[in-house]
Amino acid sequence: MQRTVLASVDPPFEWLDVVNPGRGELEDLARRRGLHATAVQDSLDPEHLPKFERYGTTTFLILRAFDESSAAEAVTVQEMTRKVAVFLEPGLFLTIHRKDQPYLQALATRHAEASVSEGRRPAVSVLLLDLVNAVVGTYARPLEEADTALGRAEDRVFSSEGMQRLLRDLYTVKRRVTTIKRMLWYTLTVLNQLKPSSEEHAPYFQDAKENAESWYVYADELLEQTDSLLQLQFASASHRTNEVIRVLTIFSAFFLPLTFLVGIYGMNFRFMPELEHRWGYPAIWGVMVAVTLAIFAWFRRRGWLR
């Protein structure tokens, strides 16, 4: 489906938005508009990562925005994001994508209303930078949700309940933020290859770049926080394991000498003088109690029973 979002004769300008085109439709459009064949092939690839290319007077970009309809458990690029291909020529702004995307519709509505109220069309380069800003802005919500999830995880990290669920949640957050950081890095790479068309448009370019950089840094900080929580969770689990082993070791230290004594007098040899002794049984009980008290006093003095 092709639709003209903005158009004017003086100066010549058209924003043509193409939604879910077939191969034949797109190839026909490429012939009429003089688009490069390889760029058209890239625009048809649903898994293509962000890129920047220039063919003569044509600038070709691929951007990926966060898909608001993606599942909360989605972690891959294809599951979390949607691609939009952009062809930029003097007087032409062509966008191609598989399905309608809210940020793109909002951008089109805003510029259409501005063109009516102000009576002029935006420069193509400004429109492109606004689109990049809108794409970057789609990652705000998932990053804020990841920040909230990490805050909840901090309250659960010292709890022994649901440790497996917590680790799974942290790993999901880490993979989602890693994917977002990767897309923001590719978008920054595209922005670094773009040049403002004039000094008048330089502030728009700088604003888009700073916006992408700020969200990239935010994603990097969230990844560091996630790694810290994972390490803390592993350390906490290791500490709990060590506590269990410590208790078992203390019990073993108590019972080891007692087991030794019982083993000696449980061999049932015929000629064992203690077996015939009148006070043999109470005596061995006294020895075992004394050994137990001595071990307890020694552990207490060394602070191992705290």
Side-chain angles (χ1 to χ4, degrees), residues 31 182 238:
R31 283 192 299 269
R182 183 185 175 197
S238 177

mmCIF file of all heavy atoms in Angstrom, residues 31 182 238:
data_model
loop_
_atom_site.group_PDB
_atom_site.id
_atom_site.type_symbol
_atom_site.label_atom_id
_atom_site.label_comp_id
_atom_site.label_asym_id
_atom_site.label_seq_id
_atom_site.Cartn_x
_atom_site.Cartn_y
_atom_site.Cartn_z
ATOM 1 N N ARG A 31 11.963 1.151 -10.249
ATOM 2 C CA ARG A 31 12.218 1.567 -11.636
ATOM 3 C C ARG A 31 11.736 2.989 -11.873
ATOM 4 O O ARG A 31 12.417 3.789 -12.515
ATOM 5 C CB ARG A 31 11.515 0.599 -12.589
ATOM 6 C CG ARG A 31 12.229 -0.729 -12.773
ATOM 7 C CD ARG A 31 11.649 -1.510 -13.937
ATOM 8 N NE ARG A 31 10.223 -1.815 -13.731
ATOM 9 C CZ ARG A 31 9.782 -2.920 -13.141
ATOM 10 N NH1 ARG A 31 10.650 -3.817 -12.692
ATOM 11 N NH2 ARG A 31 8.494 -3.143 -13.001
ATOM 12 N N ARG A 182 22.567 -2.970 21.337
ATOM 13 C CA ARG A 182 23.124 -3.268 20.012
ATOM 14 C C ARG A 182 22.452 -2.443 18.927
ATOM 15 O O ARG A 182 23.113 -1.883 18.044
ATOM 16 C CB ARG A 182 22.943 -4.764 19.733
ATOM 17 C CG ARG A 182 23.540 -5.256 18.423
ATOM 18 C CD ARG A 182 23.176 -6.715 18.235
ATOM 19 N NE ARG A 182 23.607 -7.220 16.957
ATOM 20 C CZ ARG A 182 23.149 -8.332 16.398
ATOM 21 N NH1 ARG A 182 22.240 -9.062 17.056
ATOM 22 N NH2 ARG A 182 23.575 -8.737 15.230
ATOM 23 N N SER A 238 26.190 -18.861 46.910
ATOM 24 C CA SER A 238 27.409 -19.521 47.390
ATOM 25 C C SER A 238 27.550 -19.383 48.903
ATOM 26 O O SER A 238 27.967 -20.327 49.585
ATOM 27 C CB SER A 238 28.626 -18.912 46.689
ATOM 28 O OG SER A 238 29.825 -19.463 47.163
#
